[in-house]
Amino acid sequence: MTLAVSLTLAFSLSMDAFAASLGKGVALRRPSVSEAVRIGAYFGAFEFSLPLVGWALGSVFAGSIEAVDHWIAFLLLLVVGGRMSWHALAGGGGSAKDGPARHASSALVLAALATSIDATAVGVTLRFMAVEVVTTVVLIGAVTFAMASGGVMVGRAVGARLGRWAEFAGGVGLIAIGTRILIQHTAAG
């Protein structure tokens, strides 16, 4: 696998984390760079770790992971996205100024896991390819870290103008991503 292919894989896997981090940035009351880095670290760590888990499991559990990864991702994204959308509609404040200064670690773990679950299946496929696994997963983690950190800051700028509607759209976007994953996997199977 060439470096270009590894980078393409890294950017593809980081898109869900970018979308989720936009919503995280919108929901916060003026997120700081340190909070953006913190959120990026959660997403990057999961995107780095789960392909390694998939690679290690290899062919032993490939069928089991592939059979349910889309349902797990769908349900987690539905819960996270639904919660974001509900919070935006119920809040009624019109902006993120009433939001928390920092997201709870448990919420970040759930969001990072939900957006990274497909990376486990990708890791399984890496097991069967002639690839430098360490280089590839480091790229995946680093790109996801950068995209998620940047997404929080973009969400910060958007949130100042669009408030709860941007948070609602972010939640709906996560639900749409989960639905897309579910449809793609069930249509292929």
Side-chain angles (χ1 to χ4, degrees), residues 46-123:
F46 273 85
E47 283 290 347
F48 168 80
S49 301
L50 289 179
L52 283 176
V53 169
W55 178 80
L57 294 174
S59 62
V60 175
F61 296 107
S64 298
I65 293 169
E66 190 174 25
V68 297
D69 72 335
H70 53 283
W71 284 104
I72 294 168
F74 170 73
L75 291 173
L76 289 172
L77 289 169
L78 180 66
V79 168
V80 173
R83 184 175 175 273
M84 279 176 64
S85 296
W86 177 258
H87 179 266
L89 292 176
S95 76
K97 70 180 179 177
D98 298 325
R102 183 176 159 103
H103 283 292
S105 294
S106 60
L108 293 178
V109 166
L110 183 60
L113 177 62
T115 59
S116 302
I117 198 75
D118 58 336
T120 306
V122 169

Side-chain angles (χ1 to χ4, degrees), residues 15 88 121 126 140:
M15 286 298 122
L126 293 177
I140 291 169

